Amino acid sequence: MHSLMDDCIALILGGGAGSRLFPLTQLRSKPAVPLAGKYRLIDVPISNCINSKLHKIFVLTQFNSASLNRHLARTYLFDTYRRGFVTVMAAEQTQSSLLWFQGTADAVRQSIPHFSVYRHRYVMILSGDQLYTMDYQEMLAHHKAHQAAVTIASIPVTAEVAPSLGVLKTDDQHRIAEFHEKPQDLEGKKSAVSEAMAETGRHYMASMGIYIFDSTLLCKILDQRPDDHDFGKQIIPRAIENLKVVSYPFEGYWSDIGTIRSFYEANIMLAEDHPAFSIYDEKSQLYTHARMLAPAKMTGTRVRESLISEGCIIGKSQITSSVIGIRSFIGSGTTIKESIIMGADYYPWHQRDTRERVEGPAYPGIADGVHIEGAIVDKNVRVGKGCIIRNTQGVQEHDGDNFFIRDGVVVIPKNAEIPDDTVI
């Protein structure tokens, strides 16, 4: 049976160099950054697509994309009875363009020859580094019902948040009349919002960076304006001036994982008793690579408000308000508080000459008597005995020996080895 979603394809933008998420993006792209212990950021938009019955999915990549490509290839294998796919479209040099992607719009422009061969009427453009749950079927129905040329998903925000986002001015029919990129003056920029949003002071509609275009129109716009490389700064403002562009209001949880601080806070939020975003919703499942790992094993461990992923082995330690990733090995007498431990690709007893992955320290994990607080420990890290990782001085930015501080959060980069009794 033909459905509206059969006429739609999804383009997920892999993002740029991800400098604001450094050092998590030192060896991987933004969408490949681990999330909630066992997922990756790219799993969010792909899961939303699958749950919305949108099965033609392209992921546009460019920077540090090897691990992302490997994850997608191993994870999203659709069966032969469903005409769907997740395909990576990496930046490439061609006869028509010798340049890499110059921006979000240019990435789509250069990818037109690849996705245009598939039957579709609508193009949904998504970001690969956001945390939210959305039924794209409802957004596409909204787009069609309003006979829009372009639809932009938008979320009500407060005056404190609005200056950091793209603010839309909409009427009571959802049509967008104005677009302001990171406005510092909010005078006259309020929009019609629901009563519930108004009561919480969320009077401003912000773009979520999620768009629906009629396909023919999108190709025409990108062809006529070859020097317009960005949707938010160029394509969208011009479309609002000349076309019917409408807002699709969204009032659920949404976080743009653009900085170390936003990434840290989103993960810690997921471990709360009643998180704003739930990963336990059966109707909106979050999919990822099925690793077939053994259950987590804890021996005398005290755990409060934390996520413990499969394959972990944890000794007599204390874990509070933290996220513990796959294959994490944590010794005894250790305290982990308000931190993200991303885990490992192998166990510490796997010998280097026999394990599949040869990079990283011989014995990944957190040793005995360690104190970690307010930190992110990336994959395959070895933290030696008696180490203390805690930003007691409140430093905001710093580059150290085998560690970084970004937005006040201590980050231990992937594959690092922290010697015994180190104090950070």
Side-chain angles (χ1 to χ4, degrees):
M1 183 177 177
H2 187 81
S3 73
L4 187 60
M5 301 310 285
D6 292 332
D7 293 328
C8 187
I9 63 170
L11 304 181
I12 303 177
L13 304 178
S19 57
R20 293 189 300 160
L21 270 177
F22 180 89
L24 300 181
T25 51
Q26 188 174 28
L27 299 173
R28 58 169 80 90
S29 62
K30 283 194 293 183
V33 173
L35 172 76
K38 61 175 291 184
Y39 306 98
R40 292 177 186 257
L41 288 175
I42 192 64
D43 293 328
V44 175
I46 293 181
S47 296
N48 281 332
C49 287
I50 294 172
N51 293 329
S52 303
K53 298 180 173 56
L54 175 50
H55 296 142
K56 288 179 283 192
I57 306 165
F58 298 88
V59 182
L60 281 55
T61 67
Q62 177 162 301
F63 291 95
N64 283 343
S65 58
S67 64
L68 175 65
N69 297 347
R70 184 169 58 246
H71 172 73
L72 295 174
R74 292 189 303 180
T75 304
Y76 297 101
L77 304 173
F78 290 1
D79 61 57
T80 56
Y81 302 100
R82 177 171 47 183
R83 290 184 297 174
F85 53 82
V86 177
T87 296
V88 173
M89 289 195 292
E92 61 182 357
Q93 291 180 311
T94 65
Q95 295 297 327
S96 60
S97 176
L98 297 177
L99 299 175
W100 301 120
F101 297 158
Q102 302 299 300
T104 54
D106 189 57
V108 174
R109 179 186 293 110
Q110 293 195 40
S111 302
I112 288 175
H114 300 293
F115 69 75
S116 62
V117 300
Y118 293 90
R119 181 178 60 82
H120 66 283
R121 290 182 57 193
Y122 309 103
V123 178
M124 181 166 287
I125 299 173
L126 307 169
S127 173
D129 54 359
Q130 298 177 346
L131 181 60
Y132 66 102
T133 296
M134 181 185 289
D135 187 345
Y136 299 141
Q137 296 177 98
E138 295 180 359
M139 183 175 174
L140 184 54
H142 182 89
H143 174 85
K144 190 173 182 180
H146 285 78
Q147 299 181 321
V150 185
T151 296
I152 304 174
S154 56
I155 187 167
V157 297
T158 62
E160 290 74 26
V161 176
S164 64
L165 300 169
V167 173
L168 312 171
K169 179 70 181 295
T170 63
D171 61 22
D172 56 3
Q173 298 298 312
H174 304 296
R175 182 159 186 169
I176 300 171
E178 301 173 19
F179 177 84
H180 304 276
E181 180 71 16
K182 298 182 179 179
Q184 300 307 302
D185 181 9
L186 296 176
E187 183 69 29
K189 296 180 177 62
K190 289 183 178 180
S191 293
V193 297
S194 69
E195 187 176 331
M197 294 296 99
E199 288 177 354
T200 57
R202 295 166 66 173
H203 295 285
Y204 304 92
M205 298 299 293
S207 170
M208 298 170 65
I210 299 170
Y211 315 115
I212 295 178
F213 282 83
D214 283 9
S215 181
T216 303
L217 174 64
L218 174 62
C219 293
K220 181 180 178 181
I221 290 173
L222 295 176
D223 182 56
Q224 290 180 344
R225 296 191 173 277
D227 294 327
D228 286 2
H229 298 320
D230 191 82
F231 279 107
K233 295 177 181 178
Q234 296 164 314
I235 300 295
I236 295 301
R238 289 200 174 104
I240 291 171
E241 292 177 4
N242 305 305
L243 302 167
K244 185 177 183 181
V245 182
V246 305
S247 163
Y248 173 69
F250 178 78
E251 296 184 359
Y253 175 86
W254 175 78
S255 176
D256 183 12
I257 311 293
T259 64
I260 289 293
R261 171 57 62 178
S262 62
F263 172 82
Y264 170 81
E265 291 178 349
N267 274 270
I268 298 301
M269 175 274 296
L270 294 173
E272 295 174 356
D273 276 350
H274 303 286
F277 178 91
S278 175
I279 56 177
Y280 298 96
D281 187 347
E282 291 185 358
K283 295 181 181 179
S284 303
Q285 290 187 330
L286 193 55
Y287 302 99
T288 193
H289 177 52
R291 299 177 178 85
M292 309 305 176
L293 291 172
K297 180 167 69 174
M298 291 173 275
T299 308
T301 313
R302 296 181 62 184
V303 181
R304 292 181 56 194
E305 292 188 350
S306 297
L307 297 177
I308 311 294
S309 302
E310 65 262 42
C312 293
I313 297 179
I314 307 174
K316 193 174 182 179
S317 294
Q318 295 189 50
I319 300 173
T320 305
S321 301
S322 296
V323 176
I324 309 300
I326 57 171
R327 299 190 196 89
S328 288
F329 185 86
I330 300 173
S332 297
T334 284
T335 297
I336 298 175
K337 183 178 180 182
E338 297 175 354
S339 295
I340 303 164
I341 312 297
M342 290 190 176
D345 294 311
Y346 54 93
Y347 287 110
W349 54 84
H350 288 169
Q351 299 300 313
R352 188 185 295 271
D353 56 351
T354 60
R355 74 189 192 212
E356 184 178 352
R357 303 289 292 268
V358 296
E359 64 174 0
Y363 305 103
I366 314 298
D368 298 343
V370 172
H371 187 106
I372 301 175
E373 186 172 343
I376 299 172
V377 179
D378 208 334
K379 272 194 168 183
N380 304 333
V381 167
R382 167 69 180 179
V383 179
K385 293 181 180 180
C387 290
I388 299 175
I389 301 175
R390 180 173 56 185
N391 186 7
T392 56
Q393 302 299 316
V395 177
Q396 289 300 301
E397 306 287 326
H398 180 73
D399 290 5
D401 185 15
N402 259 344
F403 77 95
F404 300 86
I405 300 178
R406 293 291 184 271
D407 302 324
V409 180
V410 179
V411 184
I412 310 299
K414 187 178 181 181
N415 300 329
E417 293 190 64
I418 308 299
D420 292 355
D421 301 316
T422 299
V423 177
I424 296 176

